[in-house]
Amino acid sequence: MKIGFIGLGIMGKPMAKNLIKAGHELTVFNRSRAAVDDVVAFSNGKAKAADKASDVAKGAELVLTMLPNSPHVKSVMLEDGKVADFMEKGAAFIDMSSINPMASREIADALAKKGIDMLDAPVSGGEPKAIDGTLSFMVGGKPEVFAKFKPVLEAMGSSVVLCGEVGAGNVTKLCNQAIVAINIAAVSEGLMLGKKAGVNPEAIYKAIRGGLAGSTVMDAKAPMIMDRNFKPGFRIDLHIKDLTNVMDAAKSVDSPTPLTAQVFEMMKILHADGKGQDDHSAIAQFYEKMANTEIVRGQ
């Protein structure tokens, strides 16, 4: 399939490479030319560079975006350069960014007037799963459009689930981000309680990970916390962006989010302390600052 791909950041670049591995032909654009050149060099002739975002749409059956937030997707598709104006009627657009669901629906409505179908398909899994092609896709859109393009998403992910109409993918992603943030905070709080009470955090982790308290989040983040490894897989600042969207969406539908709101405030404090570029496992450092104690493996 001929695909236009916009956004070759920490997630987008490995995702584009997995599409190439699956045999798709790509035209790629990114503000940083180095990422474009890397993908083109990797492609063995299956990808070409675009000089501007709108160039990816020419002749493409599908346009994909992987961008930071709602304004970036709206700008690329509907405003500056208007990629939508260069897409052929009958082509489709899949936004894999994590954005406000209301923005997804606004973009979808504008594209529908041009005869272009849209899916919103944000991902979960971070850079490691983007690299190995095992991301989880949460998708919103028409079932027939989903069925047509599901194999494309499966080239980048191991789980591709239709959650409802356009916008449902990003609603589901916001639920995911709230649950992940609260889970990291709970892991941090529990390990700190154990440490302050004189029990080795590693022993606590090993003892509870196989029980009801165990989770994918715990297995991914507890070792990072205990090893003082806050190298970003998913940055605090990006999670703040997502939780901002969670709070906005919750307000619009009058849904209570007291736990999310609390972790949101923790993350904003960490940002103010200069830790916004750390991995979101650095939520533990909020507890460490309050307790004046570090959660360290073996201690």
Side-chain angles (χ1 to χ4, degrees), residues 181-197 201 204 208 218 222 225 259 262-263 266 281 283-288 290-291 295:
I182 294 166
N183 204 335
I184 296 173
V187 169
S188 302
E189 191 165 310
L191 293 181
M192 179 57 74
L193 171 61
K195 175 67 184 289
K196 294 288 284 185
I204 295 170
I208 69 175
M218 177 182 283
I225 292 167
L259 295 178
Q262 191 64 53
V263 181
M266 293 178 190
S281 58
I283 290 172
Q285 293 185 308
F286 173 85
Y287 288 91
E288 291 174 343
M290 291 183 68
I295 301 167

Side-chain angles (χ1 to χ4, degrees), residues 88-109:
E88 298 178 4
K89 186 175 181 179
F93 169 57
I94 302 179
D95 177 37
M96 304 180 295
S97 320
S98 296
I99 69 173
N100 191 306
M102 299 302 106
S104 295
R105 289 165 183 161
E106 180 183 342
I107 296 166
D109 288 344

